[in-house]
Amino acid sequence: LQDSDLPGHIPGIECSVTPVQIDCCPCGCTKPDATAHLVTVPLRELRFLDLADYSFSAMTTQGSVDDFRYFLPRLFQGIVEEPYSYSNETLFHKLKYVKWTTWPEDEQTVVKRYLDSLWQYGLTSFPIVDRLPGFFEIETVLSSIAQTGEVLDQYLNTWTETKTREADEHLIQFVTMYGSEFADGKTFFNEGFWGDARSQAQALRRWFLQADTLQRINDAAHLLRNDGFEHLFEPAVLVLEAEGQRLSR
C-alpha cells in the first residue's frame, strides 16, 4: 500500500445536520465550553487532538448520534495519522453503539472498506507505530475491529494470504506476547475489550491453532526480535502446538 491508501482517505459518512452545539450530560460532568470549539471550525480543519476528549465520551456524556456521525470521518482520519491518548477500542466500539450495521448500505460499505484498509495497512507495516502512530501493535488493530462487531474471519483470511515479512513479524510478535495465554482451552481474551467480543476471540483462537498457521509460525521464527520479550516465544509456541493437537483429536 502507498501512503495515499491510508485508511483515513475515504469518503465521508454523511450527516444531514451540522451541529450548532454539542449537548453535554446534565449532571455537569462535562462543561459546555469543553465542546463549544468543535462546531466553530470546519470539520476538515479540526485538530484530532481537540477531538480526543469528545471521542472518548461521545454519546455517553457528550453529543448525539448525529453529532458522532458528523465527526466520524475526521476521527477515522485522525486515528490512523496521529497518536491517540485514549484506548483505540473505546473509539471503535462507538460504531457498535450507534448500530452502524443498520445505516444505509452505502455508508456501511464505507465503514467496511475503511476497516479492511486499516487492517491491510497495519499488516504491511512493522513496527506498526511507524506508519500508524495511533496503534501500538497488530493486536490493537484487530481488537479495535472486533469492537465494531465485525466478524473476524475475513481479516484472518487476509492475514493468511498476506505473505510478507511484515505480516510474519506481526505473527511472531503476537505469539510472543499472547500465545501462552491459549493454554488449557483458554485465551487471554476472557477479560478486557475482548471480553465484549467473545465470538471474535474464539475465531482468532481457531485461526492460531490451525496447522497452516502453526507451520507459518515455525517458519518465521527467525524473525523473533531481541526486544526483551524473546524468552516468551518458545514457551508460547509449545502451548499453541499442544492446543492445536488437542483440538485435532
Side-chain angles (χ1 to χ4, degrees), residues 71-105:
F71 289 118
L72 185 55
R74 184 67 186 95
L75 292 169
F76 268 176
Q77 180 184 25
I79 194 68
V80 300
E81 295 182 347
E82 303 176 40
Y84 185 53
S85 54
Y86 293 102
S87 298
N88 304 63
E89 292 91 342
T90 299
L91 172 58
F92 281 80
H93 184 73
K94 301 292 183 181
L95 283 168
K96 187 174 182 180
Y97 185 87
V98 298
K99 299 181 175 62
W100 70 276
T101 55
T102 66
W103 290 358
E105 187 173 346

Side-chain angles (χ1 to χ4, degrees), residues 8-249:
H9 293 269
I10 58 171
I13 303 295
E14 297 299 331
C15 179
S16 59
V17 179
T18 301
V20 176
Q21 65 178 30
I22 307 297
D23 293 330
C24 300
C25 180
C27 77
C29 61
T30 301
K31 302 301 182 184
D33 60 1
T35 57
H37 64 291
L38 299 181
V39 297
T40 60
V41 178
L43 183 61
R44 292 186 178 278
E45 296 178 17
L46 269 176
R47 296 193 311 163
F48 184 56
L49 178 64
D50 291 334
L51 280 168
D53 286 346
Y54 165 78
S55 70
F56 180 78
S57 303
M59 299 171 292
T60 51
T61 61
Q62 295 183 22
S64 65
V65 170
D66 280 344
D67 295 335
F68 179 73
R69 285 165 58 86
Y70 170 76
F71 289 118
L72 185 55
R74 184 67 186 95
L75 292 169
F76 268 176
Q77 180 184 25
I79 194 68
V80 300
E81 295 182 347
E82 303 176 40
Y84 185 53
S85 54
Y86 293 102
S87 298
N88 304 63
E89 292 91 342
T90 299
L91 172 58
F92 281 80
H93 184 73
K94 301 292 183 181
L95 283 168
K96 187 174 182 180
Y97 185 87
V98 298
K99 299 181 175 62
W100 70 276
T101 55
T102 66
W103 290 358
E105 187 173 346
D106 59 333
E107 295 188 350
Q108 292 183 50
T109 298
V110 168
V111 174
K112 287 178 179 291
R113 286 177 177 170
Y114 172 84
L115 296 176
D116 182 64
S117 180
L118 172 64
W119 178 241
Q120 292 191 52
Y121 199 76
L123 277 180
T124 55
S125 308
F126 192 93
I128 198 169
V129 71
D130 287 351
R131 299 179 75 190
L132 292 174
F135 293 86
F136 178 65
E137 57 188 3
I138 203 67
E139 185 274 333
T140 312
V141 180
L142 202 56
S143 177
S144 296
I145 293 172
Q147 290 304 306
T148 71
E150 274 281 85
V151 174
L152 291 186
D153 297 80
Q154 68 186 72
Y155 299 94
L156 296 173
N157 288 340
T158 298
W159 202 347
T160 298
E161 295 165 1
T162 305
K163 307 295 187 180
T164 65
R165 178 187 176 93
E166 292 82 4
D168 284 348
E169 287 178 307
H170 284 304
L171 185 65
I172 297 303
Q173 182 186 62
F174 194 107
V175 170
T176 301
M177 301 307 299
Y178 306 113
S180 293
E181 303 295 333
F182 285 76
D184 302 319
K186 301 176 183 178
T187 75
F188 83 106
F189 304 130
N190 292 327
E191 300 178 358
F193 291 109
W194 286 99
D196 296 324
R198 294 185 183 276
S199 63
Q200 290 91 338
Q202 287 302 317
L204 183 57
R205 174 184 170 81
R206 289 192 299 270
W207 184 79
F208 265 100
L209 299 185
Q210 290 176 358
D212 289 349
T213 306
L214 292 171
Q215 183 61 54
R216 182 175 180 180
I217 292 168
N218 281 292
D219 291 344
H222 64 283
L223 297 175
L224 181 66
R225 295 162 66 92
N226 295 320
D227 56 5
F229 297 100
E230 62 274 8
H231 63 285
L232 301 176
F233 177 71
E234 186 174 350
V237 172
L238 293 175
V239 166
L240 292 176
E241 290 177 339
E243 290 297 297
Q245 292 174 3
R246 188 173 71 154
L247 191 65
S248 63
R249 290 173 188 166

